[in-house]
Amino acid sequence: MEVVIIKYNAGNVQSVQYALDRLGVRAVWSDDPATIRGADRVIFPGVGAAKPAMAYLKAAGLDDVIRGLKQPVLGICLGLQLFCTHSEEGDTDCMGILPNSVRKFVPCGGQKVPHMGWNTLTTRSGLLFEGVASDAYFYFVHSYYATEGASTVGSTDYLLPFSAALAWDNFYAVQFHPEKSGAVGQRVLQNFLFG
Amino acid sequence: MLAKRIIPCLDIKNGQTVKGIQFEQLRFAGDPVVLAELYARQGADELVLLDITATVEARNTFADLILRTAKVLDIPFTVGGGIDSIAAVEALLRAGADKVSINSAALKRPELINELAQEFGNQCIVVAIDANVEVDGQWYAYLNGGRIATDRKVIDWAIEAAERGAGEILLTSMAQDGTKDGFALELTRAVSEAITIPLIASGGAGTMHHFADVFVQGGADAALAASVFHFGEIKIPALKHFLNAHGIPVRQNQ
């Protein structure tokens, strides 16, 4: 299997690559459109701010490449947010692959921002969560969240209910970090890669 | 529900864990990577690796250690100790650390917090505060591993660090550290209520009740400890079970 991790200015590649190594999967880190299009699976991780990331992707033409992909694609964290229509972070127009929008958490009642640490999902369904216990914890760290909508396949309640996981055609996305979520995170990655 | 986090801390000197560490009948004089993996398997929610050496050679050994840790560890980990520049942070994050903890360098030049948050994002910048009580009854932040007092009050400094872009505060009460008499609950509560970013409490853990107290009374989001875990006095699965039985949300190992 050929797995490509998309190379751009907000890619948190290292830990994703190590997680794939632990699964015995070799991944290529690339920004070459032909290499990305030719992969069996594409992973789009991200840590950082939406605006410079989108500017970089547009300048490199990678937004069109990603939008046009037909194989299973997995966005992680900022990757999920960049799949959405628009982000309040820097008032950024994103790729519009998923119909959700991205908003900023407002801390309230002793609940801190960033939403940092291990949390459960209140509802979830579909391929990514096969074989994962319903009360499983995942590791989150983010200050912006994707709203809920038709593409939501996993919800978490923190300050308000938000999309912890999204799926739309061949596009999958998770707000948590499967590469840092222990055995349950590994299972999510396996489900995406081999499911 | 967001779980309260349990964070073991490893002190590293010249690439080795210091203090004899008694862990499940095994004695580790040695490799922190093995210990880190064991803690992860036992249900630690995060780890902190603290470099307590200062030489350049030891720094390189530490960076290599971070790389090896990142390859095996499937939970987040923070590294700290003598970090004072964008270049230092970049090297550690590139090696695979999830967050870095800065302390003295931020007190000496607070703008460093802004620069690091701007460059790497708030989520990976932890500002560590070593706190102690002065004769005036107030808590102040200390420099250089607690050796030098400053005139910065802990609560003011925590608020400033958060405003400058820290993603989290790691608060150590020097008065409690090593005593096993329990965390500094009033201080922890006061800092936690003054900031809107997560707070890790450290210093004084001796019993499982102390952890429950720091979450319930102290309002901490996470609790860090070293020796009670290293010497097997408290086992993480038993601690998680205890906290869960006391109605505190924790991640049970899966």
Side-chain angles (χ1 to χ4, degrees):
Chain A
M1 172 178 308
E2 179 86 359
V3 178
V4 169
I5 301 173
I6 294 177
K7 184 176 181 178
Y8 71 117
N9 63 332
N12 176 30
V13 181
Q14 219 68 279
S15 48
V16 173
Q17 200 138 32
Y18 293 151
L20 295 177
D21 285 346
R22 290 193 289 272
L23 288 169
V25 175
R26 284 245 154 261
V28 180
W29 185 35
S30 176
D31 57 4
D32 172 52
T35 305
I36 296 168
R37 288 191 190 109
D40 299 309
R41 296 285 186 279
V42 175
I43 298 182
F44 182 56
V47 165
K51 199 171 188 73
M54 257 333 282
Y56 183 98
L57 291 166
K58 277 187 183 162
L62 285 171
D63 58 333
D64 285 336
V65 173
I66 294 168
R67 240 182 246 117
L69 292 175
K70 299 287 177 238
Q71 66 275 61
V73 183
L74 177 66
I76 299 174
C77 197
L78 179 65
L80 172 145
Q81 300 184 359
L82 297 179
F83 283 169
C84 295
T85 53
H86 179 268
S87 174
E88 283 186 359
E89 188 179 19
D91 188 16
T92 306
D93 285 327
C94 300
M95 282 188 260
I97 293 166
L98 300 167
N100 313 59
S101 67
V102 176
R103 296 186 186 145
K104 190 171 178 33
F105 277 129
V106 179
C108 176
Q111 292 195 292
K112 313 290 186 66
V113 175
H115 172 222
M116 187 183 285
W118 298 81
N119 211 335
T120 49
L121 275 56
T122 46
T123 61
R124 65 318 131 85
S125 60
L127 169 82
L128 293 179
F129 298 106
E130 274 171 25
V132 177
S134 61
D135 58 352
Y137 279 90
F138 296 90
Y139 187 78
F140 290 84
V141 48
H142 59 123
S143 300
Y144 292 81
Y145 66 92
T147 54
E148 292 189 301
S151 61
T152 302
V153 294
S155 295
T156 288
D157 205 338
Y158 186 75
L159 288 160
L160 45 77
F162 69 89
S163 290
L166 298 162
W168 196 259
D169 297 332
N170 55 316
F171 288 90
Y172 299 86
V174 288
Q175 182 60 63
F176 54 83
H177 288 270
E179 76 280 12
K180 287 286 165 182
S181 293
V184 292
Q186 183 154 319
R187 180 61 197 252
V188 168
L189 286 174
Q190 269 175 323
N191 287 341
F192 168 71
L193 293 170
F194 307 113
Chain B
M1 190 184 280
L2 184 64
K4 300 289 188 181
R5 287 169 283 155
I6 300 296
I7 308 178
C9 176
L10 310 184
D11 286 349
I12 316 280
K13 192 172 185 179
N14 301 323
Q16 306 280 302
T17 37
V18 295
K19 301 174 187 171
I21 288 174
Q22 198 76 36
F23 195 88
E24 293 291 309
Q25 274 77 51
L26 296 171
R27 196 170 177 83
F28 287 93
D31 194 348
V33 179
V34 179
L35 189 59
E37 231 189 328
L38 267 168
Y39 277 131
R41 258 186 246 143
Q42 289 215 332
D45 296 307
E46 284 186 41
L47 292 176
V48 170
L49 276 65
L50 204 56
D51 185 15
I52 59 165
T53 45
T55 66
V56 174
E57 279 168 13
R59 284 282 156 72
N60 292 337
T61 309
F62 190 64
D64 176 61
L65 174 72
I66 298 314
L67 184 76
R68 292 194 294 121
T69 305
K71 283 184 177 169
V72 300
L73 210 60
D74 59 6
I75 60 168
F77 70 103
T78 301
V79 298
I83 296 168
D84 59 2
S85 66
I86 285 180
V89 171
E90 193 171 12
L92 293 166
L93 294 180
R94 202 189 304 125
D98 297 286
K99 310 180 209 175
V100 295
S101 156
I102 54 171
N103 190 336
S104 298
L107 276 167
K108 288 174 188 163
R109 201 173 67 81
E111 299 76 23
L112 180 64
I113 302 170
N114 305 67
E115 293 163 14
L116 294 177
Q118 179 80 26
E119 187 75 21
F120 306 106
N122 308 37
Q123 80 289 336
C124 66
I125 308 302
V126 182
V127 170
I129 304 177
D130 290 334
N132 212 352
V133 194
E134 291 288 319
V135 283
D136 63 0
Q138 306 264 2
W139 290 85
Y140 289 86
Y142 274 62
L143 275 170
N144 290 16
R147 285 187 287 272
I148 303 170
T150 72
D151 58 5
R152 283 181 182 275
K153 286 183 184 163
V154 168
I155 290 176
D156 297 343
W157 176 228
I159 292 168
E160 182 179 338
E163 280 170 356
R164 286 182 180 276
E168 208 168 15
I169 299 288
L170 165 55
L171 176 68
T172 301
S173 161
M174 292 163 53
Q176 263 76 15
D177 206 23
T179 63
K180 299 191 177 172
D181 285 342
F183 295 90
L185 299 179
E186 275 181 42
L187 172 72
T188 304
R189 163 69 60 185
V191 175
S192 184
E193 285 178 351
I195 56 176
T196 59
I197 59 173
L199 176 72
I200 307 167
S202 158
T207 68
M208 296 204 226
H209 277 286
H210 292 155
F211 284 91
D213 291 344
V214 83
F215 292 133
V216 176
Q217 296 173 44
D221 301 286
L224 177 144
S227 54
V228 289
F229 296 135
H230 299 334
F231 294 102
E233 292 161 27
I234 294 178
K235 300 216 167 35
I236 293 170
L239 174 59
K240 293 273 186 93
H241 184 77
F242 174 88
L243 294 171
N244 190 46
H246 283 72
I248 296 163
V250 286
R251 178 183 69 117
Q252 304 281 8
N253 208 9
Q254 292 149 15

